[in-house]
Amino acid sequence: AAKAAGKGCFRFFAPEMHEAARERQLMESDLRVALEKGQLRVVYQPQVDASSEEVTGFEALIRWDHPEHGPVSPAVFIPLAEEIRLIDEIGEWVLRTACAEAANWPPHISVAVNLSPIQFKSPALTSTVRMVLGDTGLPAKRLELEITEGVFLSNDDHVHDMIRALKDIGIKLALDDFGTGYSSLSYLQRVPFDKIKIDRSFVNGASDPESRNAALIRAMVGLASDLKMRTIAEGVETPEELQLVRDLGCPLVQGYIFGKPMPAEEALELAKKGAATLPAQLPPREPRI
Ligand code: C2E
Ligand code: MG
Ligand code: MG
Ligand code: MG
């Protein structure tokens, strides 16, 4: 009977699946509304020079506070936006918001914006980037675009043409989540990345003497530096992790130890102040009345 019912018949699904599918559909339309009504936000996480502890830039990260469900993780709604092809619009909005914000920062401070592999496939990307830079007045060299290894899954010339075209604009390019994807080291040699982001999964717990992650981090830092690329350790949370990545020669650090992603106003304040402050050293907050 199930077979005879054919495609598109949900009769044989468990009720929970009905529920999940319905939930998803609602989420999709809510996401469109969120974009239209300005319910999305961008927060900024400091990137810090490992030795001087000066802020060198910020990564822009999108946030969605759902009116009923509360905060929804970008790890959940970005894939959804990719599926329903809303990612180009959302991505352009993030880019524009982040560049407009970064134009207020001191001129040595950069902004990093995440790109979905889907955006990367769109031929309009380079003209969008050019237009946003022109409109916001942010110099190209202060914009860094983060792409993941997923971009190289489609092994065509388009990827390399796109990278060339973006580099020609004068922006920086970072390889995000390095080591977690479908790594083939050959693209490191072929692609002119400015920065390699060592994924949090290598950093967390790396200071444990039992952990073999230190050896992996050392190898990644060495490889990148031989190729004249800088490395940034993601997700550094503890003083031990900070000490370790420093000792392994990693020049840049990003993680809760120097600051969680923060609203634009706080990022501006920190950017002007320059040096990041360890959370433990922050003065106690005024009690709220
Ligand atoms: P990502 O680009 O690798 O961003 C780093 C993630 O690690 C962020 O999560 C950040 O909040 C988190 N993080 C930073 N430091 C620490 C730490 O010390 N400990 C821990 N536990 N986590 C830390 P978030 O903001 O939830 O973003 C998750 C992912 O969603 C991002 O990973 C990125 O892939 C994607 N994403 C976020 N914003 C955007 C966007 O505007 N466009 C696109 N295409 N993707 C985005
Ligand atoms: Mg990123
Ligand atoms: Mg990352
Ligand atoms: Mg990640």
Side-chain angles (χ1 to χ4, degrees), residues 41-43 45-46 59-63 72-79 82 87 90-91 93-95 112-117 119 146 148 176-177 197 199-200 203-204 233-238 241 254-261:
R41 305 182 282 134
V42 178
V43 288
Q45 186 178 32
E59 179 177 5
L61 295 156
I62 193 169
R63 292 292 177 264
V72 186
S73 166
V76 171
F77 73 83
I78 291 290
E82 287 172 337
I87 190 66
I90 290 182
W93 176 79
V94 172
L95 183 70
V113 177
N114 292 283
L115 281 191
S116 148
Q119 281 174 278
E146 296 192 0
T148 57
D176 202 355
D177 303 342
K197 302 194 77 176
D199 192 70
R200 177 157 64 88
V203 173
N204 294 151
E234 290 194 275
V236 175
E237 293 179 354
T238 67
E241 289 166 1
Q254 180 180 347
Y256 292 171
I257 190 165
F258 286 120
K260 291 197 173 180

Side-chain angles (χ1 to χ4, degrees), residues 69-107:
H69 307 300
V72 186
S73 166
V76 171
F77 73 83
I78 291 290
L80 193 64
E82 287 172 337
E83 258 176 71
I84 61 176
R85 233 16 233 257
L86 202 58
I87 190 66
D88 296 277
E89 249 181 285
I90 290 182
E92 182 173 342
W93 176 79
V94 172
L95 183 70
R96 188 170 286 281
T97 305
C99 289
E101 200 50 50
N104 300 321
W105 299 341

Side-chain angles (χ1 to χ4, degrees), residues 112-135:
V113 177
N114 292 283
L115 281 191
S116 148
I118 309 250
Q119 281 174 278
F120 204 78
K121 284 209 186 87
S122 158
L125 180 63
T126 45
S127 57
T128 301
V129 170
R130 264 207 202 85
M131 188 169 62
V132 168
L133 289 173
D135 292 349

Side-chain angles (χ1 to χ4, degrees), residues 221-280:
V221 171
L223 180 65
S225 115
D226 285 351
L227 294 167
K228 309 279 181 273
M229 298 167 187
R230 305 192 82 198
T231 37
I232 179 163
E234 290 194 275
V236 175
E237 293 179 354
T238 67
E240 292 77 19
E241 289 166 1
L242 176 61
Q243 189 59 49
L244 180 84
V245 298
R246 235 181 222 153
D247 291 348
L248 294 174
C250 186
L252 297 164
V253 168
Q254 180 180 347
Y256 292 171
I257 190 165
F258 286 120
K260 291 197 173 180
M262 58 186 81
E265 311 81 68
E266 281 174 46
L268 176 62
E269 226 174 281
L270 183 57
K272 285 180 174 163
K273 201 165 61 162
T277 318
L278 294 175

Side-chain angles (χ1 to χ4, degrees), residues 12-25:
F12 301 101
F13 281 99
E16 313 86 76
M17 284 189 71
H18 255 321
E19 195 49 45
R22 228 181 77 81
E23 186 97 346
R24 225 184 93 96
Q25 253 177 15

